[in-house]
Amino acid sequence: MAEVKLGVNTVELFSGDHLVLNVLADLDDLSLVEQVQRLHGELGVDLVELPANMLVICPQLFTERTIKALADYQARSGVGYTVHLPFRGLDLSSLAQPIWEASVESYREIIHRLEEELKVEHYVLHLTEALLKQVEAKAHWGTELQGKLVEALYARAKKGLELLLETAPREKLLVENIKSGYQKPFALARELELGICCDVGHLLLEGADPRRVVEDYRELIREFHFHGVVERTQKDGRAALQDHQAVGRSVFPVDEALDLLLADDFSGVLMIEVGTWTAAAESVQAVKEYLARKHSE
């Protein structure tokens, strides 16, 4: 088995919105660095995922001092970094010209700033998110109109991505599937000859079969986002899936999932994306135990 690079996101600082970080008084621009040091030191992972959402939602917590400190720690420890590019506020699929232009330029600037100081393995990008959800919520528009709008959003995202690639390191930029679907993002990645970040939890929430998707796109997959998906009962009694849970508690058994993800000598990044320290520790332990068993076989 090839050596997979095991990573974990920044756990308590990992959030879809990061809005709440603006009102937590005990955080400063070294909090991210402290989290990276703890994750790397205590869990013994190879990489830590940096949340670039913070650069646009709470930039006072991700400053030049933060970047310098991350670089210093990387030089001392050898920790690797991946970066999840922002998906709140910025949107390459925006049909509003000022927002679209600002999104392209912001991504360029973020990548440029981080490339100057850090050794980054991958930059992971959502091509669309909020706007697509708005279209999906408008059932009264009808499927034909919704379909045309979805095509327009992805056409816009493709153009923005092409402009971004004029300056961004092509080999590091990965397109990730969102909860709304994998087919259009992955098809666009293939068309533009980009790598893929395959989020397994998103596939499960979408109702896709991870086995089929991984096999269909294996040659493009450079990174997996790995988190458990569990079934919860809502207040109204309906069952719903919830992601970003510990991998050992998932509806997709951890050994079965890893057999799939790490097949064919996968040597990319396996990034655990969970929301609590406990879930991170449990997940890292589960993956390390699996790897130890496989190496002993």
Side-chain angles (χ1 to χ4, degrees):
M1 174 178 287
E3 291 296 327
V4 66
K5 297 177 182 178
L6 179 59
V8 68
N9 68 303
T10 45
V11 190
E12 283 90 351
L13 299 181
F14 166 74
S15 161
D17 295 313
H18 291 102
L19 297 177
V20 69
L21 301 183
N22 285 290
V23 295
L24 298 181
D26 58 336
L27 298 181
D28 62 22
D29 60 350
L30 292 182
S31 297
L32 178 60
V33 184
E34 293 164 359
Q35 186 80 329
V36 167
Q37 292 172 331
R38 185 184 179 202
L39 288 163
H40 181 237
E42 296 187 25
L43 297 186
V45 292
D46 304 306
L47 306 104
V48 178
E49 180 184 76
L50 304 178
N53 257 349
M54 293 175 69
L55 282 164
V56 294
I57 301 298
C58 42
Q60 76 280 6
L61 300 180
F62 202 153
T63 66
E64 292 302 322
R65 187 169 79 136
T66 311
I67 297 172
K68 292 286 187 184
L70 288 169
D72 289 344
Y73 181 67
Q74 185 174 52
R76 295 196 314 271
S77 69
V79 68
Y81 295 131
T82 64
V83 174
H84 201 311
L85 290 172
F87 53 90
R88 289 291 181 264
L90 302 182
D91 194 337
L92 286 182
S93 72
S94 179
L95 302 179
Q97 187 71 12
I99 294 176
W100 181 77
E101 291 176 354
S103 298
V104 174
E105 289 306 312
S106 294
Y107 285 134
R108 279 178 167 171
E109 175 61 22
I110 288 169
I111 293 172
H112 176 71
R113 286 171 64 192
L114 298 183
E115 281 289 294
E116 282 189 322
E117 300 287 346
L118 306 178
K119 296 178 181 179
V120 177
E121 189 92 6
H122 299 142
Y123 295 91
V124 176
L125 177 70
H126 291 184
L127 294 180
T128 185
E129 182 77 22
L131 287 176
L132 186 59
K133 289 179 179 177
Q134 290 180 37
V135 172
E136 292 172 338
K138 304 291 186 181
H140 62 280
W141 285 351
T143 56
E144 182 178 357
L145 179 55
Q146 285 178 309
K148 289 180 179 179
L149 285 169
V150 169
E151 292 295 334
L153 294 178
Y154 275 106
R156 192 71 154 169
K158 178 184 177 183
K159 179 61 176 177
L161 191 54
E162 289 172 333
L163 291 175
L164 181 58
L165 287 169
E166 292 178 358
T167 56
R170 176 181 291 270
E171 72 281 1
K172 294 185 180 183
L173 198 63
L174 305 183
V175 174
E176 180 183 355
N177 55 306
I178 56 176
K179 297 175 185 179
S180 297
Y182 74 90
Q183 291 182 328
K184 290 184 181 298
F186 285 2
L188 187 52
R190 178 169 277 162
E191 178 182 350
L192 297 179
E193 300 182 331
L194 292 173
I196 282 173
C197 173
C198 181
D199 190 306
V200 183
H202 290 173
L203 292 177
L204 293 172
L205 290 185
E206 174 192 354
D209 182 354
R211 300 163 192 81
R212 174 186 172 188
V213 177
V214 171
E215 292 306 324
D216 285 348
Y217 291 93
R218 188 177 291 281
E219 81 280 4
L220 298 181
I221 297 173
R222 306 289 176 263
E223 179 172 337
F224 286 104
H225 280 178
F226 189 37
H227 45 102
V229 174
V230 299
E231 189 174 278
R232 306 282 195 200
T233 301
Q234 299 178 311
K235 291 182 179 179
D236 60 6
R238 291 184 301 168
L241 295 177
Q242 182 178 352
D243 59 349
H244 297 296
Q245 307 299 304
V247 300
R249 306 181 183 188
S250 181
V251 297
F252 195 2
V254 62
D255 279 19
E256 184 179 346
L258 291 172
D259 282 346
L260 171 68
L261 305 187
L262 304 185
D264 296 338
D265 289 330
F266 177 74
S267 59
V269 174
L270 181 68
M271 181 62 61
I272 293 169
E273 278 196 328
V274 291
T276 67
W277 178 268
T278 299
E282 289 181 6
S283 299
V284 169
Q285 181 179 356
V287 174
K288 287 186 174 182
E289 288 176 352
Y290 171 91
L291 293 175
R293 290 195 303 273
K294 289 298 181 179
H295 284 301
S296 67
E297 292 178 355

